[in-house]
Amino acid sequence: MDRLDCNRSYDCFTGSGIAEEFVAGFILEQYDNKDLTGQEIKVAIISDRQVSGYYYNAFEKQFVIRDIKPCLITVDEGEQNKNLSQVNYVIKELADFGLNSNDWIIAFGGGAVIDIAAFASALYTGKSRFIAVPTTLSSMAETGCSDKAYLNSGSRKNTASIDISQTAVFIDPKYLSTVPKKYVPNGYAQIIRYALLADFGLLTDLIELSGSSLSDIRVFLNRVYAARAAIDRKNPVLLTLGSELSEAVEGYFRFMNYSEGEALALSLFATVPDKARTALSAIYIKLGLPTELKGVSFNAIMNSLKDSYRKGSGTDRSLVCYEEKDGKGSWTIKNPSTDEALTILEDRLKKITAVSSPIASNEEGV
């Protein structure tokens, strides 16, 4: 078992098999050799149906043999299900299970599961302690260094946030083998964003990872976390690179047609300077990422963006843009007016979708 340098106050461990072998032992270690005779320790394991179907029996065994009482709470995976309704359901289940401050909540799944579990843990009055066991590349890249969880509302993304107070993160690379093909790009896109902002070498590592030739996930994730830390130090607002357009795409389809990673990958592709797009296109092909927005017209997404700005949700948002000066390029943060922002986003949208579409005339009023 290796310790990752995630630049956070909590422990972050990685290694093949650690999730099924060491989580229960870690929990018992937190009681500082306190005599637990007569005391029942409980763990509520929040997961989705696919992950729990593959792994729950093996994951649960470590608690049973140590006299820790487990309870599985299943939620629906995916951005479309990351909402307060699911959080409320989890809190009800936690209360029915009788969790208290002596007990633990474990998020066992991808990013949506971890966000739902983190919200429930923060809001639940039992004040149980929180552990994350991410099972996708995206959640491994994010959970190891994230300090916030987010929920959506309808077609609006990240409308609520809360600080995460996790005790530890356990990253087991064996879970990557069963990630559904549609969700694999989620992790790729986030790491591409880190690469563009801080460490181009991550793109080479990402190609090796996608081809199953990366030899050491620990080295890779430490490099990911180092890039994230460098961006945080420079300006955390840089981490919103590409968010405006990707959120518009996700929201238009109500999180159904394009995964979070696919939408972000498209937006990043539209945001890079023209001279970099050809090279990035070759990387996207190797990673199986889209370079063209399909199933919707230019006008439909543009009208969605205009509607968002008219309602004020985009008017206080900075835009991360690439600018060149004296032959040198860098990412800068702009605070444009509504008209200026929409002009920038319109130019980006043109890079990934046909301006004219056979269905455009039917979507003018969308």
Side-chain angles (χ1 to χ4, degrees):
M1 181 169 65
D2 295 312
R3 193 184 299 267
L4 291 167
D5 184 10
C6 62
N7 302 290
R8 292 290 186 265
S9 60
Y10 46 80
D11 291 311
C12 186
F13 304 104
T14 188
S16 183
I18 64 166
E20 294 172 3
E21 296 175 11
F22 293 105
V23 175
F26 174 84
I27 286 174
L28 291 177
E29 288 175 1
Q30 306 313 299
Y31 294 95
D32 296 324
N33 297 318
K34 177 183 177 182
D35 183 7
L36 298 174
T37 303
Q39 296 188 47
E40 184 179 57
I41 301 174
K42 299 177 181 178
V43 293
I45 302 164
I46 301 168
S47 188
D48 63 82
R49 289 170 180 81
Q50 176 158 327
V51 170
S52 62
Y54 275 118
Y55 300 114
Y56 181 71
N57 288 341
F59 187 71
E60 174 197 47
K61 192 176 298 183
Q62 63 184 311
F63 303 108
V64 175
I65 64 177
R66 291 175 174 83
D67 294 323
I68 299 173
K69 184 178 180 180
C71 171
L72 174 63
I73 302 173
T74 55
V75 297
D76 295 324
E77 176 59 79
E79 288 292 308
Q80 70 274 20
N81 298 306
K82 205 172 71 173
N83 52 51
L84 282 170
S85 177
Q86 293 247 55
V87 172
N88 184 59
Y89 163 73
V90 171
I91 290 175
K92 177 184 179 299
E93 293 296 306
L94 295 176
D96 289 345
F97 188 43
L99 248 66
N100 58 45
S101 58
N102 199 50
D103 303 321
W104 297 77
I105 294 171
I106 300 175
F108 185 34
V113 168
I114 291 172
D115 278 342
I116 292 167
F119 255 85
S121 176
L123 297 175
Y124 180 58
T125 56
K127 301 301 180 187
S128 303
R129 286 169 280 186
F130 182 58
I131 287 175
V133 182
T135 59
T136 64
L137 182 60
S138 176
S139 57
M140 290 175 185
E142 282 294 287
T143 307
C145 55
S146 180
D147 54 7
K148 286 187 178 296
Y150 296 90
L151 294 181
N152 305 325
S153 178
S155 63
R156 303 291 182 181
K157 188 175 174 70
N158 296 343
T159 54
S161 67
I162 201 164
D163 291 338
I164 295 178
S165 55
Q166 53 211 19
T167 303
V169 178
F170 286 82
I171 294 178
D172 193 332
K174 82 171 191 177
Y175 295 137
L176 295 176
S177 64
T178 51
V179 175
K181 186 176 181 180
K182 182 175 178 63
Y183 296 113
V184 170
N186 288 345
Y188 293 165
Q190 188 60 265
I191 293 166
I192 289 170
R193 175 152 60 184
Y194 292 167
L196 294 175
L197 291 169
D199 183 358
F200 286 114
L202 280 170
L203 295 176
T204 301
D205 287 351
L206 196 53
I207 292 171
E208 292 180 4
L209 180 68
S210 69
S212 301
S213 61
L214 190 71
S215 59
D216 195 334
I217 191 71
R218 178 187 61 83
V219 173
F220 174 70
L221 287 175
N222 273 334
R223 188 168 185 173
V224 170
Y225 299 154
R228 167 64 184 261
I231 298 165
D232 277 333
R233 287 193 298 270
K234 187 173 183 180
N235 192 326
V237 175
L238 290 168
L239 291 166
T240 65
L241 173 67
S243 293
E244 303 80 14
L245 195 51
S246 67
E247 290 176 11
V249 170
E250 282 189 273
Y252 179 84
F253 289 108
R254 299 188 72 85
F255 309 107
M256 298 299 289
N257 286 35
Y258 285 90
S259 71
E260 179 183 20
E262 290 169 332
L264 178 56
L266 281 166
S267 182
L268 293 173
F269 190 73
T271 304
V272 297
D274 292 341
K275 64 182 180 182
R277 199 167 293 111
T278 300
L280 193 59
S281 177
I283 293 172
Y284 272 38
I285 290 171
K286 290 182 179 180
L287 296 176
L289 293 169
T291 59
E292 182 181 355
L293 180 61
K294 297 180 179 180
V296 64
S297 73
F298 169 89
N299 288 345
I301 299 299
M302 200 62 228
N303 285 336
S304 179
L305 285 165
K306 290 176 181 177
D307 182 60
S308 175
Y309 273 80
R310 278 198 295 266
K311 290 180 178 178
S313 59
T315 54
D316 60 348
R317 174 181 285 183
S318 302
L319 273 175
V320 181
C321 302
Y322 188 84
E323 291 188 339
E324 290 193 5
K325 187 176 181 181
D326 298 328
K328 294 183 178 181
S330 63
W331 295 100
T332 60
I333 298 169
K334 291 187 173 182
N335 294 290
S337 67
T338 294
D339 288 343
E340 290 170 336
L342 289 172
T343 297
I344 293 170
L345 294 173
E346 181 178 12
D347 181 65
R348 292 179 183 178
L349 186 58
K350 289 176 181 177
K351 303 291 196 309
I352 56 171
T353 189
V355 177
S356 299
S357 169
I359 60 175
S361 59
N362 295 326
E363 295 174 322
E364 290 290 341
V366 175

